[in-house]
Amino acid sequence: MYDLETERLILRAWHESDAEVLFKYASDPEVGPRAGWPPHKSVEESREIIKTVFSMEGMWAVVLKETGEVIGCVGYLPALNANLPIEKGECEVGYWIARPYWGKGICTEAMRAVIELCFVKKGFSALWGDYFPDNPASGKVMEKCGFTDTGKETLCPKLDVGSDKPVKIMRLTREEWLLF
């Protein structure tokens, strides 16, 4: 797995030692449900999420260079693991950031690094993303990264929270990214 670096961020693999800071931010009831998962209930639960979900290829801890603190997660899921019905050779991207860092362009900065990796190093032909309509800021992140609204909505039955709520679907092809 590659570490990625941007102006303000380091994207690196998750470590079990990140469990306390993950719990600090993932227990916020405003964070997880916006991304389709319930607030964490304990440090142990956060540690288990690190071991089982965040340890998959394509998942990074978002670390603020200035403080060295983990403040969120960004990554991609290949078609086999995606929430959306996508083709082989494509992936779904996702992210969340701790509430104190909302509105600072951090998700956009992190996503741009992941997008470049997905197209240049991994060779994906298209990236897909989705967001709940009541979380338009998530859609704005994708727009700022070159994604376009497909005009489609779907349910994501794999989500732990919100599987009964439609999500808006966004897409970015390699060709669109090269022109962006």
Side-chain angles (χ1 to χ4, degrees), residues 77-82 84-91 123-126 128:
L77 296 170
L80 183 64
N81 299 326
L84 298 172
I86 59 178
E87 301 292 322
K88 185 176 180 184
E90 301 177 339
C91 71
F124 290 114
S125 60
W128 296 82

Side-chain angles (χ1 to χ4, degrees), residues 64-86:
L64 194 58
K65 281 183 183 178
E66 185 179 325
T67 63
E69 184 178 37
V70 175
I71 60 168
C73 184
V74 64
Y76 68 85
L77 296 170
L80 183 64
N81 299 326
N83 293 305
L84 298 172
I86 59 178

Side-chain angles (χ1 to χ4, degrees), residues 1 13-14 48-59:
M1 171 117 126
W14 283 88
E48 190 61 25
I49 294 292
I50 290 169
K51 291 193 306 196
T52 59
V53 179
F54 291 171
S55 65
M56 294 181 356
E57 179 186 346
M59 293 289 182

Side-chain angles (χ1 to χ4, degrees), residues 33 36 132-133 153-167:
F132 293 114
E153 291 187 357
T154 191
L155 297 177
C156 293
K158 293 181 184 178
L159 295 179
D160 292 330
V161 172
S163 60
D164 59 339
K165 292 173 30 182
V167 293

Side-chain angles (χ1 to χ4, degrees), residues 89 118-120 122-127 172-179:
C118 284
F119 285 135
V120 175
K122 302 306 271 181
F124 290 114
S125 60
L127 309 183
L172 176 65
T173 65
R174 183 193 327 248
E175 293 76 22
E176 291 166 337
W177 176 69
L178 290 170
L179 295 172

Side-chain angles (χ1 to χ4, degrees), residues 21-166:
V21 73
L22 174 58
F23 175 69
K24 172 181 164 182
Y25 293 127
S27 61
D28 182 335
E30 293 296 317
V31 174
R34 292 173 185 257
W37 45 268
H40 291 197
K41 293 179 177 61
S42 67
V43 172
E44 293 72 31
E45 179 183 6
S46 293
R47 186 172 288 108
E48 190 61 25
I49 294 292
I50 290 169
K51 291 193 306 196
T52 59
V53 179
F54 291 171
S55 65
M56 294 181 356
E57 179 186 346
M59 293 289 182
W60 289 271
V62 177
V63 179
L64 194 58
K65 281 183 183 178
E66 185 179 325
T67 63
E69 184 178 37
V70 175
I71 60 168
C73 184
V74 64
Y76 68 85
L77 296 170
L80 183 64
N81 299 326
N83 293 305
L84 298 172
I86 59 178
E87 301 292 322
K88 185 176 180 184
E90 301 177 339
C91 71
E92 179 180 353
V93 296
Y95 42 83
W96 67 265
I97 228 62
R99 190 170 8 170
Y101 302 96
W102 289 358
K104 299 180 186 309
I106 290 172
C107 277
T108 303
E109 188 174 325
M111 272 305 305
R112 286 183 175 151
V114 170
I115 290 167
E116 182 174 352
L117 177 129
C118 284
F119 285 135
V120 175
K121 292 196 186 316
K122 302 306 271 181
F124 290 114
S125 60
L127 309 183
W128 296 82
D130 58 77
Y131 68 95
F132 293 114
D134 61 357
N135 184 14
S138 186
K140 292 278 188 219
V141 168
M142 286 184 261
E143 285 176 9
K144 290 177 187 174
C145 292
F147 283 72
T148 55
D149 189 336
T150 65
K152 297 178 182 174
E153 291 187 357
T154 191
L155 297 177
C156 293
K158 293 181 184 178
L159 295 179
D160 292 330
V161 172
S163 60
D164 59 339
K165 292 173 30 182

